[in-house]
Amino acid sequence: MKNQWVNALRSGDNVSSYFGVFDLNIGTTKTGAKFLKIRLGDRTGTVEGRVWDSALAEDLYQTLALGDIVIVQGTVTEFNGLQVNLDTCIKVEKEHVELNDFRPCTEKDISVMLDDFIELLATVTTPPLKGLLETIFDSDFLTEFSTAAAAKTIHHAYGGGLLEHTLEVMHYCCQVCEIQGEGINRDLLLTGAALHDIGKLWEYDQEGLSFNRTEEGKLLGGHVILGYDFVQKKIDLVNGFPKKLALHLSHLILSHHGQKEWGAVEEPHTLEAVALHYADLLSARVNQVSQLIKSHSGSEQWTNYDRNLGRSIYVPEVIKKGLKREKSS
Ligand SMILES: [Fe+2]
Ligand SMILES: [Fe+2]
């Protein structure tokens, strides 16, 4: 299937592979001929492409859209950086490709994370919560959940990021239960952790290559409300789900952002809700800083200023050396 990656392309290579379409424009040469400027990409990066045949260029401009997957044949040349001159460019259906090959994707093994997630879910034994989790996480839903991103930017903003983040939050919550003892309802907290960001499946365009926010996400209150609505409907399907338990679980989802200015409908008012909020924040912040360090290049020991974090991060020499080794291997 995908046999050539953007970061491995070299001038002079013949290209015959699948790529995502990240940008499309029509240009005009000095002689007045139309040509297509197309930005091609995959999980390793993007590269400029050109279609010089004007009839093909105009046809592709009319029929292709951003986020499409295409199979191309062409040659790599050097012109202000690498450029692929395309001889053919054919749209393929997304069912025939692995979408996470064409967009930023987790570095972790999704199937290993999924096994871990299923194992953690199985530790929830309170019958109504166990019933609810089984109602939601059937095999089709698990597939959708495991390839989704947790955001467009900021944290876990890549395919598999929603599962990675959810799993981190669940593990942090397990630690809280271990350290704090029996005062915390572990089954309730773990169920809340598993479901807290479920609304992100609909807040972001999980079928696209850039995880843009959907109209549903923008108009219906984002993943907090979308997730709350979804879980309510699923609770109704579980026979005899206790009203008080539904209330506590709903509170976990609605309050997990901690503060109203951060998107919480209500501030956390239960022990489990406070624990979930801090576990969520810890996972998000550590990932944000890790991504900033990974994207840092150059000789400076400080990263660029990150607007969302409100600071730069210091990258000690020993970490920079490790990162260089990782990039070159
Ligand atoms: Fe959230
Ligand atoms: Fe979260």
Side-chain angles (χ1 to χ4, degrees):
M1 286 292 280
K2 178 120 178 82
N3 53 351
Q4 286 169 296
W5 298 93
V6 166
N7 68 350
L9 295 179
R10 301 287 177 267
S11 183
D13 284 355
N14 288 319
V15 179
S16 177
S17 191
Y18 296 87
F19 294 98
V21 177
F22 284 78
D23 202 10
L24 269 179
N25 263 306
I26 280 284
T28 311
T29 65
K30 282 177 190 160
T31 60
K34 295 269 198 289
F35 67 95
L36 185 72
K37 298 189 222 178
I38 180 168
R39 190 142 193 95
L40 299 167
D42 58 34
R43 64 195 280 178
T44 70
T46 61
V47 64
E48 276 302 313
R50 294 286 183 270
V51 175
W52 297 110
D53 180 307
S54 54
L56 180 61
E58 290 203 60
D59 180 47
L60 289 171
Y61 187 65
Q62 296 301 328
T63 52
L64 290 181
L66 299 188
D68 279 350
I69 306 294
V70 290
I71 181 164
V72 308
Q73 287 191 313
T75 316
V76 183
T77 58
E78 184 92 37
F79 184 76
N80 291 335
L82 289 185
Q83 181 176 294
V84 185
N85 288 329
L86 305 179
D87 300 320
T88 63
C89 178
I90 298 164
K91 181 177 166 177
V92 294
E93 294 306 320
K94 285 184 179 165
E95 302 88 79
H96 302 312
V97 296
E98 186 64 59
L99 214 48
N100 279 341
D101 281 347
F102 299 93
R103 56 192 193 181
C105 183
T106 176
E107 290 170 5
K108 298 192 173 154
D109 186 324
I110 287 181
S111 63
V112 170
M113 286 197 291
L114 203 47
D115 287 348
D116 191 8
F117 180 69
I118 291 166
E119 232 169 79
L120 270 178
L121 287 187
T123 67
V124 174
T125 53
T126 306
L129 294 172
K130 186 179 165 63
L132 176 67
L133 292 171
E134 284 170 356
T135 303
I136 293 173
F137 291 105
D138 63 18
S139 66
D140 284 348
F141 194 85
L142 278 171
T143 306
E144 196 184 337
F145 181 72
S146 66
T147 53
K152 178 174 168 58
T153 54
I154 305 189
H155 78 91
H156 300 88
Y158 39 75
L162 180 57
L163 173 62
E164 187 182 312
H165 168 61
T166 303
L167 205 47
E168 285 173 11
V169 175
M170 289 172 81
H171 278 297
Y172 288 139
C173 285
C174 287
Q175 288 296 305
V176 174
C177 293
E178 218 166 276
I179 293 163
Q180 297 296 327
E182 294 187 351
I184 293 191
N185 183 335
R186 184 183 186 277
D187 279 4
L188 175 63
L189 179 55
L190 268 197
T191 304
L195 297 174
H196 81 283
D197 272 344
I198 204 88
K200 289 185 171 183
L201 287 173
W202 309 285
E203 178 173 8
Y204 300 103
D205 175 13
Q206 303 289 359
E207 297 302 307
L209 301 181
S210 327
F211 311 117
N212 292 318
R213 286 185 90 206
T214 60
E215 284 182 0
E216 214 180 348
K218 286 179 189 167
L219 296 173
L220 300 181
H223 68 272
V224 174
I225 300 292
L226 292 172
Y228 164 77
D229 282 347
F230 172 79
V231 171
Q232 288 308 300
K233 285 181 191 130
K234 294 296 177 183
I235 283 175
D236 291 343
L237 299 177
V238 180
N239 259 341
F241 198 100
K243 276 213 165 73
K244 272 272 158 65
L245 190 59
L247 187 69
H248 283 296
L249 181 58
S250 302
H251 179 61
L252 289 182
I253 296 171
L254 292 173
S255 68
H256 79 264
H257 283 191
Q259 297 178 27
K260 292 188 179 169
E261 58 266 42
W262 291 352
V265 172
E266 194 48 72
E267 286 166 2
H269 290 294
T270 64
L271 188 54
E272 290 77 15
V274 171
L276 176 60
H277 164 56
Y278 284 108
D280 182 39
L281 193 62
L282 181 57
S283 163
R285 287 287 187 273
V286 170
N287 183 265
Q288 246 176 297
V289 174
S290 308
Q291 295 302 318
L292 188 59
I293 292 172
K294 273 185 194 153
S295 66
H296 178 61
S297 56
S299 54
E300 291 293 316
Q301 291 213 306
W302 288 90
T303 67
N304 289 335
Y305 179 80
D306 185 279
R307 208 162 37 92
N308 292 306
L309 280 172
R311 74 196 79 156
S312 300
I313 294 295
Y314 180 67
V315 187
E317 198 60 40
V318 59
I319 294 180
K320 277 172 60 193
K321 278 184 188 153
L323 280 177
K324 264 183 204 154
R325 261 199 304 277
E326 228 175 75
K327 274 180 190 164
S328 58
S329 63

